[in-house]
Amino acid sequence: MGHLARWALETPVTLGFLCYLLVVVPIMGIWLVHKYNWQHWEPFDKGHK
């Protein structure tokens, strides 16, 4: 597992892909929440009975 992690973090392509995932995916998620007017806290409003 260590060899795979080292290879992934030393290769520019995989490092770029990981950075892309860390930056673009959360931005797209925030955009979708605002576009569809989703309430991210909604499941917690119902309470646990």
Side-chain angles (χ1 to χ4, degrees), residues 29-47:
I30 292 170
W31 175 74
L32 286 171
V33 165
H34 286 34
K35 180 180 179 184
Y36 293 110
N37 200 20
W38 292 338
Q39 302 295 327
H40 61 278
W41 58 85
E42 189 173 353
F44 303 106
D45 287 344
K46 297 176 183 177

Side-chain angles (χ1 to χ4, degrees), residues 1-40:
M1 196 66 180
H3 292 289
L4 179 65
R6 180 179 175 188
W7 172 79
L9 295 175
E10 286 183 347
T11 307
V13 173
T14 56
L15 191 58
F17 180 70
L18 291 173
C19 291
Y20 176 82
L21 290 178
L22 285 171
V23 172
V24 174
V25 171
I27 290 172
M28 289 176 58
I30 292 170
W31 175 74
L32 286 171
V33 165
H34 286 34
K35 180 180 179 184
Y36 293 110
N37 200 20
W38 292 338
Q39 302 295 327
H40 61 278

